[in-house]
């Protein structure tokens, strides 16, 4: 995957393929006050038609790209809130009204369910509160109503006002749980990789724990020249000098030198290490050897003093730091045999659809399953432990049994979140008595995504050896993230709802976002946020820019396969040179590096 920098104007093959056959400026309309969202013919006609449709089901296989021309400034339908000021993760957030499901409006297209009683309404201790970010964004600091968390009774109609703003949905996902899962000790090794430190990593010893030679050469005492001492007079008998791993040596007399290896303990009395290539030896008439240094050997030269890297008790890493291979090495050097980490969230993947093939070429109206091979490694890169994917038929009873019996912390479904004849996710949630936290998001692609809170798993049945891995002690509340069936729409749901939820469950650091200038304008949706794949490149001035990629329709993966991030495009679009917030992908160079000074973990 290309990194964030590169030679201006030169792109890798994947990027060239992702933008093949399309002009760079073809994805954005001129910013004119008279531009009409209904502008007719041309390459954007399909996009404009999609934008005119109600925000409801995103049909499987749809490849249209939503958006209309940007007219003047951003849409007046609602002020654009900076999504990155929405707090999320690790229970470190300003008090916010909890984003919840939208109003309980009966939908005749969905399966009816008994009315459990009157809606209790908002909690009396939660009222409207001012937006803490409004002042910093130049917006009026007026209270906003706080939707109440209510059990899922009947699903809302797919109408414009029913879906949550993108930043609100993302904050709701992060705040759906109070904090990370239970913590425990894990052996220093591969099992610890991808977990998050539940406590600070402090040094158990000085590093280095003794004065150490940084080079092969001679340990010398005082100013030269020096008489080369026989090894047996300072080091252990039979040694060629002082080697790494040997115990303490006897003191080195003033004016003497002895051979020493890199990493060996400096003998008492030594003032410096003279590198082998900097020293000259000469045999003396009495048979001794005299060492001289034309460049000299100032005190402390090429000696790593005890405690140079850290002292015993120093904090090496803060809570919330992800365990990487380098962290394993640091912990080992600091004296650890195991690490205290949060448990990885367990995620069970349920891929829905009778039309999906699992091998071979698409045929007879059936298509290949693209999400099954993609989701497990993507979730693993987010720090989750995965079960599945399990492929389920479009059958309401089969889906109910799978969700009810899963003991995973999070269940992820693909497809079936709209209101079509075989979309069974909403009826299943009603049957389970689930609490719907987010039901549709004002984002393209992926607006039919949802987030629900489930009760404990029904019974103790396990679905084979693999599903048994999902059984874990600790909290019994589970969550379900419903992703749309279209591949890029599912990626949008993954980054909007699943990533913040898993970030809180795993205790991961909150990575501060980066804002990068757009190398080209991006066509916007009149009301919804757009998530657009971008590749990060270096421009002619040496700065990093985000190049929007084509093939970014809901059913397309060609653009995201060449991308480094998804750019968050506000309603109305963004012009060339305008900074955009980036959702870095887990494997991109920026996405894997935590921000310096970021805080994480539980207090």
């Amino acid at each position: 995957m290309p990194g964030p920098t590169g030679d201006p104007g030169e792109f890798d093959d994947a990027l060239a393929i992702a933008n093949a056959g399309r002009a760079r400026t073809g994805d954005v309309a001129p910013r004119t006050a008279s531009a009409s969202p209904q502008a007719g013919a041309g390459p954007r006609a399909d996009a404009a038609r999609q934008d005119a449709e109600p925000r409801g089901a995103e049909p499987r296989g749809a490849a249209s790209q939503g958006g209309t021309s940007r007219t003047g400034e951003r849409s007046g339908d609602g002020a654009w809130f900076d999504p990155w000021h929405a707090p999320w993760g690790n229970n470190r957030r300003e008090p916010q009204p909890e984003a919840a499901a939208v109003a309980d409006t009966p939908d005749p297209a969905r399966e009816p369910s008994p009315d459990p009683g009157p809606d209790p309404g908002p909690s009396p201790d939660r009222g409207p509160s001012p937006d803490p970010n409004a002042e910093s964004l130049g917006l009026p600091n007026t209270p906003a109503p706080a939707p109440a968390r209510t059990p899922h009774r009947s699903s809302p109609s797919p109408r414009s006002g029913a879906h949550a703003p993108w930043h609100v949905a993302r904050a709701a996902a992060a705040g759906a749980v109070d904090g990370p899962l239970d913590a425990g000790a894990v052996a220093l090794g591969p099992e610890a990789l991808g977990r998050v430190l539940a406590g600070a990593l402090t040094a158990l010893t000085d590093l280095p724990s003794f004065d150490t030679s940084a080079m092969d050469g001679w340990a010398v005492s005082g100013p030269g020249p020096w008489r080369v001492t026989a090894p047996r007079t300072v080091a252990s008998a039979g040694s060629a000098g002082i080697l790494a791993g040997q115990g303490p040596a006897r003191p080195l007399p003033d004016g003497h030198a002895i051979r020493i290896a890199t990493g060996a303990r400096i003998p008492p009395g030594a003032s410096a290490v003279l590198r082998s290539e900097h020293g000259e030896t000469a045999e003396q008439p009495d048979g001794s050897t005299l060492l001289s240094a034309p460049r000299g050997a100032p005190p402390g030269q090429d000696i790593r003093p005890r405690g140079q890297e850290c002292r015993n008790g120093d904090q090496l890493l803060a809570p919330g730091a992800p365990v990487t291979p380098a962290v394993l090495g640091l912990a080992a050097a600091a004296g650890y045999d195991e690490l205290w980490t949060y448990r990885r969230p367990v995620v069970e993947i349920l891929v829905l659809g009778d039309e999906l093939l699992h091998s071979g070429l698409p045929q007879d109206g059936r298509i290949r399953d693209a999400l099954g091979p993609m989701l497990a490694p993507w979730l693993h890169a987010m720090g989750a432990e995965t079960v599945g994917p399990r492929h389920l038929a479009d059958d309401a009873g089969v889906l109910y049994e799978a969700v009810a019996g899963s003991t995973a912390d999070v269940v992820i479904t693909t497809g079936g979140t709209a209101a079509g004849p075989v979309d069974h996710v909403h009826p299943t949630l009603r049957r389970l008595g689930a609490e719907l936290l987010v039901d549709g998001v004002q984002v393209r692609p992926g607006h039919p995504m949802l987030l629900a809170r489930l009760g404990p798993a029904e019974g103790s049945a396990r679905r084979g050896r693999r599903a048994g891995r999902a059984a874990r002690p600790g909290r019994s509340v589970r969550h379900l993230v419903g992703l749309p069936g279209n591949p890029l729409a599912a990626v949008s749901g993954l980054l909007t709802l699943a990533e913040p939820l898993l970030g809180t469950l795993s205790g991961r650091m909150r990575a501060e976002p980066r804002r990068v200038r757009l190398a080209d304008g991006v066509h916007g949706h009149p009301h919804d946020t757009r998530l657009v794949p971008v590749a990060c490149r270096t421009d002619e001035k040496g700065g990093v820019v985000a190049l929007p990629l084509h093939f970014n329709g809901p059913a397309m993966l060609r653009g995201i396969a060449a991308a480094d991030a998804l750019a968050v495009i506000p309603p109305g679009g963004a012009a060339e040179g305008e900074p955009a917030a980036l959702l870095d992908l887990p494997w991109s160079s920026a996405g894997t590096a935590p921000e310096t000074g970021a805080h994480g973990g539980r207090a």
Side-chain angles (χ1 to χ4, degrees):
M1 179 60 61
T5 60
D7 191 14
E10 296 184 4
F11 307 105
D12 51 74
D13 292 340
L15 178 58
I17 292 172
N19 279 338
R22 297 285 298 278
R24 284 183 62 188
T25 57
D27 195 42
V28 63
R31 190 187 290 191
T32 60
S34 61
S36 169
Q38 303 297 331
R44 297 185 204 98
D46 290 341
R49 279 195 298 273
Q50 181 186 4
D51 295 335
E53 295 175 359
R55 288 181 209 172
E58 190 167 272
R60 291 175 179 168
S64 58
Q65 299 175 166
T68 61
S69 301
R70 179 171 178 142
T71 57
E73 293 305 313
R74 290 175 180 150
S75 170
D77 187 59
W80 167 247
F81 288 88
D82 185 341
W84 300 109
H85 286 81
W88 70 276
N90 300 326
N91 205 26
R92 296 183 307 283
R93 56 189 187 275
E94 301 174 31
Q96 294 267 356
E98 297 185 45
V102 293
D104 290 325
T105 304
D107 184 357
R110 290 180 182 156
E111 194 173 289
S113 61
D115 188 346
D119 189 339
S123 174
D125 61 345
R126 287 184 184 167
S129 60
D131 182 353
N133 305 307
E135 185 175 350
S136 64
L137 296 171
L139 300 172
N141 192 8
T142 55
R149 270 185 183 169
T150 57
H152 185 147
R153 299 192 303 172
S154 58
S155 301
S157 303
R159 64 186 188 279
S160 175
H163 293 173
W166 180 79
H167 74 283
V168 173
R170 192 166 164 83
V177 291
D178 293 332
L181 297 167
D182 48 295
V186 60
L188 204 67
E191 177 60 23
L193 280 176
R195 292 177 181 250
V196 173
L197 295 178
L201 186 73
T202 56
L204 302 181
T205 181
D206 297 339
L207 286 180
S209 54
F210 47 79
D211 293 346
T212 305
S213 175
M215 292 290 172
D216 292 331
W218 292 273
V220 299
S221 178
W226 305 272
R227 184 179 297 276
V228 178
T229 301
R232 64 180 178 275
T233 63
V234 176
S236 58
S239 172
I242 303 177
L243 304 179
Q246 290 181 342
R250 290 185 285 274
L252 183 66
D254 187 41
H256 285 247
I258 186 173
R259 277 283 184 183
I260 193 167
T262 301
R265 183 192 294 258
I266 297 293
S271 57
V273 170
L274 181 64
R275 300 185 187 188
S276 298
E277 61 270 24
H278 294 166
E280 298 178 357
T281 58
E283 295 294 328
Q284 301 299 303
D286 61 0
S288 64
T289 301
L290 196 65
L291 172 68
S292 60
R295 301 183 182 181
Q301 175 179 275
D302 287 328
I303 292 177
R304 293 185 61 212
R306 176 174 181 170
Q308 181 185 51
E309 186 172 0
C310 66
R311 288 291 184 181
N312 185 4
D314 285 353
Q315 179 173 302
L316 305 177
L317 290 171
V323 179
T324 65
V327 170
L328 293 178
L330 175 63
Y336 284 84
D337 297 318
E338 56 186 21
L339 293 175
W340 191 254
T341 66
Y342 295 117
R343 173 171 69 80
R344 289 193 193 95
V346 177
V347 180
E348 183 163 12
I349 305 167
L350 305 178
V351 178
L352 315 180
D354 293 332
E355 76 278 18
L356 301 177
L357 296 171
H358 310 303
S359 62
L361 293 174
Q363 56 184 313
D364 300 329
R366 302 182 69 189
I367 60 175
R368 279 294 300 271
D369 169 31
L371 295 179
M374 181 176 69
L375 286 180
W378 198 311
L379 290 163
H380 185 75
M382 290 180 178
E385 178 183 346
T386 58
V387 177
R390 294 174 54 201
H391 298 90
L392 303 183
D394 285 322
D395 181 277
V398 169
L399 178 60
Y400 172 84
E401 291 296 331
V403 175
S406 174
T407 55
D409 300 299
V410 178
V411 176
I412 286 185
T413 61
T414 68
T417 57
V422 291
D423 290 336
H424 301 302
V425 174
H426 281 91
T428 296
L429 294 176
R430 286 196 296 271
R431 186 177 174 188
L432 289 168
E435 183 183 357
L436 202 54
L437 306 180
V438 175
D439 189 13
V441 179
Q442 294 173 14
V443 66
R444 300 298 173 111
H447 54 282
M449 66 182 73
L450 61 85
L451 170 66
R453 178 177 290 119
L454 307 172
E458 292 188 0
S460 57
R462 300 289 181 265
R463 299 181 180 273
R465 183 179 62 180
R466 295 176 67 194
R469 297 168 57 218
R472 292 289 188 275
R475 66 182 74 202
S476 59
V477 174
R478 303 169 299 141
H479 290 81
L480 182 142
V481 175
L483 304 179
N486 277 322
L488 188 58
V491 169
S492 174
L494 198 65
L495 295 180
T496 299
L497 298 179
E499 184 182 42
L501 175 64
L502 294 174
T504 303
L505 285 171
S506 63
R508 283 182 172 251
M509 282 183 178
R510 177 189 176 189
E512 295 298 330
R514 53 177 180 149
R515 286 187 171 273
V516 176
R517 290 182 298 107
L518 293 170
D520 203 353
V522 180
H523 195 63
H525 189 276
H527 310 293
D528 294 354
T529 299
R530 281 192 71 198
L531 301 182
V532 177
V534 294
C536 295
R537 293 293 181 266
T538 302
D539 63 9
E540 63 277 2
K541 297 180 180 179
V544 177
V545 294
L547 177 65
L549 301 176
H550 301 302
F551 304 106
N552 52 34
M556 299 181 181
L557 287 176
R558 187 172 172 181
I560 194 68
D564 298 305
L566 288 178
V568 182
I569 305 300
E576 179 179 351
E578 189 172 342
L582 299 190
L583 295 172
D584 286 303
L585 304 181
W587 49 85
S588 68
S589 57
T592 56
E595 289 287 323
T596 303
H599 300 287
R602 303 190 72 171

